[in-house]
Amino acid sequence: MILTSSPDLAPSPIHATRKQRVAVPLGGMQQVHSHLQKHVPTELIYAIFMHIHPNQVLKFRRLCRSIDACLSESHFAKLNLAWHTAPTSSPSSPSRNKFIARYADRFATAFPTEWDRCWFQWPDYYQHAYVELPGSLLPQTSRIPWGTSSLSGTIPRSLGCLKLTYLNLSCNSLHGRIPPELGQLKGLLELNLSENELHGIPRELGQLTLLRTLNLSSNPLGGCIPPELGKLVHLQSLQLVMTNLSGNLPTQLCNLRRLRELHIACNRALRGTIPEFGALKSLQVLNLSANALEGEVPRSLSQLPHLVELNIASNLLVGQLPGEVLTMPSLRELKTHGNMLSCRVMPAQARGKESIRTESACIL
């Protein structure tokens, strides 16, 4: 028997089922998506996704808006991190807590854990949640010496919530801007962020009034040196070498009366004149080489009684090199080549000083 179809005949149940099956994938997915948007409880989303590893869970934010909203909350970040970082050992005791509090620095001074490495790669709200985890050692430590630790990512803004005296993140692969929240580390004594891919010098660093060492060398910082650095009255060493700085040397640097070493070099867009550093009586090393500094060498440099090394090579300096600089009792190394300096007469006090080494294009 041969069956023929007629336009007047109603579709058979089989045909209707096939049509429904074709329509279900598109319409059904839209209905599911709409249902997720409106009817999935927040608690259920938390319960489902909190068990997924923090490095993987954030990709599920793309499923729908409600899931994206839940997974973007700091509360979820705390739940997610607490689930995965909770210790598997026996419950903590008062004696164990005292032990951890006493030796927290030793735990932190070893090497960053895998979770610590993730800390630099997570989004901001996860970075804050990580610091606030119950039982975290970070709020108890005063030292983070994670230089040359193969860290990558950005410097967490939540570092500003800690009570650090020492922070070393040098020789890593960190990028982005230096967070201004580092200015909240009021007790910080040493800050070393050298040899990364960081940008900008936040003016908030001027709030670190106890700081003794600041090293930001070998970063594409760019911009100008903020005058607020002149407020670091306890600073003993400042290093800004190969940092792509521009503008002028701020005169506020003359307020750093305890400075022993000043290295601001290899910044070809750094112009202006050399400030009157004569008030820096503790200065031992002054390196201003390979910039684009102009004008004459200030005579006030001869007023630095402890200056051992003076390097002003490869700038655009002109005029005569003050004879008083050559007669400084403490000076052992002088580099002035690569400028348009002249020195008509070598002072008699300098002629017999065999310990001084000059590398200059001066006309004696």
Side-chain angles (χ1 to χ4, degrees):
M1 178 182 298
I2 301 176
L3 297 178
T4 59
S5 59
S6 171
D8 298 331
L9 295 176
S12 66
I14 296 179
H15 290 137
T17 302
R18 288 177 180 173
K19 290 182 180 180
Q20 291 174 359
R21 286 175 181 173
V22 171
V24 163
L26 179 58
M29 287 301 295
Q30 293 175 347
Q31 293 177 3
V32 170
H33 182 77
S34 176
H35 182 77
L36 287 174
Q37 297 272 28
K38 300 178 181 179
H39 303 291
V40 178
T42 299
E43 294 77 9
L44 179 59
I45 296 177
Y46 285 167
I48 293 174
F49 290 98
M50 66 181 289
H51 305 286
I52 302 176
H53 193 280
N55 288 352
Q56 303 294 329
V57 69
L58 297 181
K59 65 183 181 182
F60 293 98
R61 291 172 53 181
R62 295 174 292 181
L63 289 177
C64 66
R65 293 180 181 177
S66 59
I67 292 178
D68 177 44
C70 289
L71 301 191
S72 301
E73 294 178 358
S74 59
H75 179 62
F76 172 79
K78 294 177 181 179
L79 292 175
N80 185 227
L81 289 173
W83 175 266
H84 289 275
T85 61
T88 56
S89 57
S90 58
S92 60
S93 62
S95 60
R96 178 177 179 273
N97 291 335
K98 290 182 180 179
F99 176 83
I100 290 177
R102 182 175 181 181
Y103 296 101
D105 280 358
R106 294 190 182 181
F107 287 122
T109 54
F111 296 97
T113 66
E114 289 305 314
W115 290 116
D116 293 332
R117 297 178 187 280
C118 295
W119 183 30
F120 290 82
Q121 300 176 354
W122 287 327
D124 184 68
Y125 66 103
Y126 259 80
Q127 291 177 339
H128 277 83
Y130 182 67
V131 171
E132 298 171 358
L133 281 176
S136 173
L137 294 178
L138 287 174
Q140 304 176 48
T141 187
S142 62
R143 296 173 55 87
I144 295 184
W146 293 345
T148 319
S149 296
S150 300
L151 299 175
S152 61
T154 60
I155 297 179
R157 295 194 301 135
S158 53
L159 271 172
C161 303
L162 306 182
K163 298 179 180 180
L164 299 177
T165 60
Y166 178 87
L167 177 59
N168 183 359
L169 299 176
S170 63
C171 304
N172 286 297
S173 299
L174 302 175
H175 62 270
R177 302 194 68 81
I178 298 176
E181 286 76 8
L182 294 186
Q184 301 172 13
L185 299 172
K186 303 301 183 181
L188 197 64
L189 302 177
E190 183 169 340
L191 176 59
N192 189 348
L193 304 178
S194 61
E195 298 192 43
N196 284 286
E197 294 295 327
L198 300 171
H199 296 271
I201 304 179
R203 63 182 61 186
E204 287 79 4
L205 293 186
Q207 301 172 14
L208 305 176
T209 54
L210 297 181
L211 199 65
R212 297 176 183 173
T213 301
L214 176 59
N215 189 350
L216 304 179
S217 294
S218 299
N219 282 290
L221 298 175
C224 300
I225 301 175
E228 287 78 5
L229 294 188
K231 299 178 181 179
L232 305 178
V233 293
H234 289 89
L235 199 65
Q236 298 178 9
S237 176
L238 174 59
Q239 300 187 48
L240 298 172
V241 180
M242 296 180 64
T243 47
N244 197 29
L245 293 172
S246 58
N248 300 335
L249 289 174
T251 57
Q252 288 81 355
L253 296 180
C254 299
N255 299 329
L256 306 178
R257 303 299 178 87
R258 300 189 182 185
L259 203 62
R260 296 181 181 178
E261 295 190 12
L262 177 58
H263 300 267
I264 304 179
C266 303
N267 299 287
R268 284 303 185 182
L270 189 63
R271 298 183 176 275
T273 59
I274 299 177
E276 298 290 339
F277 285 135
L280 306 183
K281 302 302 183 182
S282 299
L283 198 62
Q284 299 175 8
V285 178
L286 177 57
N287 180 8
L288 301 177
S289 62
N291 295 307
L293 300 178
E294 305 164 337
E296 298 185 349
V297 178
R299 199 173 299 273
S300 60
L301 293 182
S302 63
Q303 302 172 11
L304 304 175
H306 302 291
L307 192 65
V308 177
E309 298 180 17
L310 174 59
N311 188 350
I312 53 175
S314 301
N315 280 284
L316 302 175
L317 300 173
V318 298
Q320 293 188 18
L321 181 65
E324 295 88 343
V325 173
L326 293 173
T327 61
M328 295 172 62
S330 59
L331 195 62
R332 294 294 177 268
E333 184 170 325
L334 173 63
K335 296 182 179 180
T336 62
H337 62 275
N339 290 287
M340 293 175 284
L341 295 172
S342 63
C343 183
R344 292 176 183 245
V345 179
M346 171 70 81
Q349 298 92 326
R351 292 175 187 171
K353 185 179 289 190
E354 297 179 357
S355 57
I356 189 170
R357 180 166 64 91
T358 62
E359 295 181 12
S360 176
C362 293
I363 304 174
L364 301 179

